[in-house]
């Protein structure tokens, strides 16, 4: 691995690498010389990073997004939660074995070589900046409850851009401020979220639920299709693993933060979705742009409650954008250190890969502008489903890496006492990833494969340049 800011050097073959670098090495402590603005995350902040990245725009848009499928989406919710927890456990075991920044990229490359590592990094990078654009656009729907910005296309576009750039500026300030923003935003949003999720159960009306399957598809088809949309709300389960290099004692804390954060987010999702389903009439919920605000208004009357929830939603989404902006730069950073991404992505300042943050926010901004100028919400929905497909690529590669380690049976990689349990969990995580790929739909898979093929060309160029400089 090369030093950030220098030319990328060819990385050793996977079989020549140890499963994990020794604690305290330069690889494990990339922020050691980053100065007072860099600070490693403890278990509370790492857990907040996972929960904050999962519970961002998802919790506030989830009920309206799946309402067209009917209450069958609650079945998809249960299956998705089980799959997400399986992935969390896989990431925890992999991070315990190899606690370096990069998450799925590191695991795929160590197990299968440079091309698989690049594919995981490329797919995950696409997922992060497309998700940032989606979150910013979603946040505008709640901002409109407080300040009327949605009536004019360019006003809404400007608001979405501001919501993206503010977290980017926090990232430029250093990891010290990223962690502070993440922890504060996660704590602040849970009070109103739990108030709505728990309080809504007392106003629950079964007549508001609507039909069980309103999609016109088969039951299995409806579950798969709604789960593909729901996954967008679960993206972030890998957050602690991707930022393992910035976590204190990552072998211990990454796995714990991942599981605790995922389970906590699942509980909030379940209670919140049930409350909104039972308080807002189905025909109204299908067309809602701020379902939680509508739920509070239905519970207490008036509009003050909707304003409070809208404010909480903005805090939540801003915190989510803050964490996702950091994650969007971490995987390209790790790949650039190995010579699999352009070397410029390996530059760090104050503990943050600033070039990665800058490129990501620019791409997300361009996608946001495109969304508003195209005037077609359907186009953007396809792009959101593209993130489902691209996210499952690194998820599947990570699960496959765990399966490979279990099959080889190498003592330094496998704990015999956990072999059966780890094998079942890895198989569930792999099957779950394949199921989500299928559920994303033909259009999303088509677009996603095109994105991946562009990456193949980029990898060919970088690999050729690397061969030439040897």
């Amino acid at each position: 691995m090369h030093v950030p800011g220098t030319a990328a050097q060819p990385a050793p073959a996977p079989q020549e690498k140890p499963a994990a670098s020794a604690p305290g090495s330069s690889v494990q402590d990339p922020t050691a010389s980053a100065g007072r603005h860099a600070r490693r995350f403890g278990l509370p902040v790492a857990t907040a990073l996972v929960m904050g990245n999962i519970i961002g725009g998802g919790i506030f848009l989830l009920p309206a997004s799946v309402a067209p499928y009917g209450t069958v989406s609650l079945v998809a919710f249960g299956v998705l939660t089980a799959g997400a927890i399986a992935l969390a456990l896989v990431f925890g075991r992999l991070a315990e074995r190899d606690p370096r920044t990069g998450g799925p990229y590191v695991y795929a490359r160590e197990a299968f070589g440079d091309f698989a590592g690049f594919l995981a990094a490329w797919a995950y990078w696409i997922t992060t900046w497309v998700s940032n654009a989606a979150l910013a656009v979603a946040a505008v729907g709640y901002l409109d409850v407080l300040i009327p910005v949605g009536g004019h296309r360019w006003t809404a576009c400007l608001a979405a851009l501001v919501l993206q750039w503010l977290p980017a500026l926090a990232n430029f300030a250093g990891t010290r401020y990223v962690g502070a923003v993440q922890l504060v935003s996660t704590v602040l949003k849970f009070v109103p979220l739990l108030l709505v999720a728990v309080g809504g159960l007392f106003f629950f009306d079964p007549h508001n639920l609507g039909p069980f399957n309103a999609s016109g598809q088969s039951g299995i088809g409806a579950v798969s299709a709604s789960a593909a949309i729901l996954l967008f709300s679960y993206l972030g389960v890998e957050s602690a693993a991707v930022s393992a290099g910035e976590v204190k004692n990552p072998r211990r804390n990454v796995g714990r933060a991942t599981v605790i954060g995922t389970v906590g987010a699942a509980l909030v999702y379940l209670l919140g979705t049930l409350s909104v389903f039972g308080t807002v009439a189905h025909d109204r919920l299908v067309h809602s742009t701020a379902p939680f605000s509508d739920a509070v208004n239905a519970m207490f009357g008036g509009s003050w409650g909707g304003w409070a929830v809208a404010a909480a939603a903005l805090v939540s989404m801003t915190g989510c954008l803050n964490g996702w902006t950091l994650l969007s730069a971490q995987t390209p950073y790790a790949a650039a250190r190995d010579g699999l991404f352009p070397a410029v992505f390996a530059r760090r300042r104050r503990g943050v890969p600033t070039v990665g943050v800058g490129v990501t926010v620019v791409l997300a901004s361009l996608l946001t502008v495109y969304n508003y100028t195209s005037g077609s919400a359907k186009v953007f929905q396809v792009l959101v489903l593209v993130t489902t497909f691209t996210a499952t690529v690194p998820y599947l590669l990570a699960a496959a890496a765990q399966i490979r380690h279990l099959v080889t049976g190498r003592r330094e990689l496998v704990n015999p006492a956990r072999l059966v349990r780890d094998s079942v969990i890895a198989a569930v995580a792999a099957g779950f990833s394949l199921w989500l790929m299928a559920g994303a739909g033909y259009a999303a898979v088509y677009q996603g494969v095109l994105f991946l093929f562009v990456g193949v060309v980029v990898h060919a160029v970088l690999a050729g340049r690397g061969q030439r400089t040897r």
Side-chain angles (χ1 to χ4, degrees):
M1 296 181 181
H2 71 287
V3 177
T6 64
Q9 299 297 323
Q15 63 269 22
E16 298 173 348
K17 295 195 321 177
S21 300
S25 69
S26 61
V27 173
Q28 291 301 313
D29 191 14
T31 62
S33 61
R36 62 187 178 90
H37 295 283
R39 180 176 295 173
R40 287 188 170 236
F41 305 149
L43 179 61
V45 174
T47 302
L49 183 67
V50 175
M51 293 191 71
N53 284 352
I54 293 176
I55 305 177
I59 183 62
F60 295 102
L61 294 177
L62 182 65
S65 299
V66 298
Y69 297 96
T71 52
V72 69
S73 58
L74 295 178
V75 178
F77 181 92
V79 176
L80 188 68
T81 299
I85 292 174
L87 279 172
L89 292 170
V90 167
F91 284 129
R93 295 291 293 125
L94 289 168
E96 183 180 331
R97 184 182 301 119
D98 195 346
R100 290 178 291 166
T101 292
Y105 156 73
V106 171
Y107 313 143
R109 182 172 181 264
E110 191 274 335
F112 306 117
D114 285 352
F115 180 71
F118 172 84
L119 199 62
W122 182 263
Y124 190 75
W125 184 53
I126 292 170
T127 301
T128 55
W129 59 263
V130 174
S131 296
N132 280 359
L135 282 172
V137 173
V140 172
Y142 279 93
L143 179 62
D144 191 53
V145 176
L146 302 173
I147 304 172
V149 296
H152 191 277
R153 181 168 51 185
W154 289 111
T155 304
C157 180
L158 179 61
L161 294 176
V162 170
L163 288 169
Q164 289 178 50
W165 279 90
L166 287 178
L169 293 176
N171 273 266
F172 284 132
T175 55
R176 174 180 182 179
Y177 301 100
V178 174
V181 171
Q182 198 67 32
L183 189 58
V184 171
S185 65
T186 300
V187 171
L188 286 178
K189 71 187 174 187
F190 266 95
V191 175
L193 277 177
L194 292 177
L195 176 63
V196 173
V198 177
L201 298 179
F202 293 97
F203 296 85
F204 193 90
D205 184 354
H207 294 94
N208 289 326
L209 295 177
F212 178 72
N213 185 356
S215 67
Q217 306 179 42
S218 66
I220 296 178
V223 169
S224 297
S226 55
I229 293 177
L230 288 170
L231 179 65
F232 179 71
S233 301
Y234 267 91
L235 295 180
V237 64
E238 72 292 333
S239 301
V242 172
S243 297
E246 281 68 49
V247 176
K248 296 177 183 176
N249 192 7
R251 295 181 189 276
R252 176 177 179 270
N253 287 335
V254 167
R256 292 188 176 189
T258 302
V259 174
I260 294 172
T262 302
V263 172
L267 289 175
V268 174
Y269 273 157
L270 177 60
L271 290 176
T273 303
L274 281 174
S275 295
V276 176
F277 268 32
T279 53
V280 181
H282 180 262
D283 56 348
R284 182 182 178 189
L285 184 59
V286 169
H287 302 289
S288 175
T289 58
F292 267 67
S293 292
D294 291 340
V296 173
N297 289 337
M299 289 160 54
F300 302 110
S303 58
W304 65 269
W307 293 340
V309 172
L314 285 175
V315 171
S316 174
M317 293 177 184
T318 302
C320 187
L321 281 166
N322 176 68
W324 270 106
T325 300
L326 175 63
L327 292 186
S328 67
Q330 294 288 24
T331 297
Y333 165 78
R337 284 174 62 89
D338 294 334
L340 300 182
F341 252 58
V344 69
F345 282 91
R347 296 178 183 174
R348 295 174 71 100
R349 185 171 179 265
R350 295 177 174 178
V352 174
T354 50
V355 173
V357 169
V359 172
T360 294
V361 73
V362 168
L363 288 173
S365 298
L366 292 174
L367 183 59
T368 301
V369 173
Y370 168 76
N371 175 65
Y372 281 104
T373 56
S374 67
S376 174
K378 192 172 183 180
V379 172
F380 197 71
Q381 183 180 3
V382 171
L383 290 174
V384 168
L385 287 173
V386 167
T387 67
T388 298
F389 173 79
T390 55
T392 54
V393 172
Y395 289 173
L396 180 60
L397 286 171
Q402 173 71 340
I403 291 173
R404 180 181 184 274
H405 294 320
L406 295 172
V407 171
T408 59
R410 291 166 56 186
R411 290 184 177 273
E412 70 274 19
L413 299 178
V414 179
N415 185 336
R418 298 179 179 176
L419 180 59
V420 175
R421 186 188 69 180
D422 286 351
S423 297
V424 172
I425 291 172
V428 170
F432 171 71
S433 300
L434 290 171
W435 175 59
L436 286 171
M437 282 186 180
Y442 292 110
V445 172
Y446 171 74
Q447 298 284 350
V449 168
L450 288 180
F451 275 122
L452 293 181
F453 281 177
V454 171
V456 172
V457 175
V458 173
H459 177 71
V461 172
L462 293 175
R465 291 178 60 184
Q467 291 284 343
R468 187 176 63 186
T469 57
R470 288 180 182 176

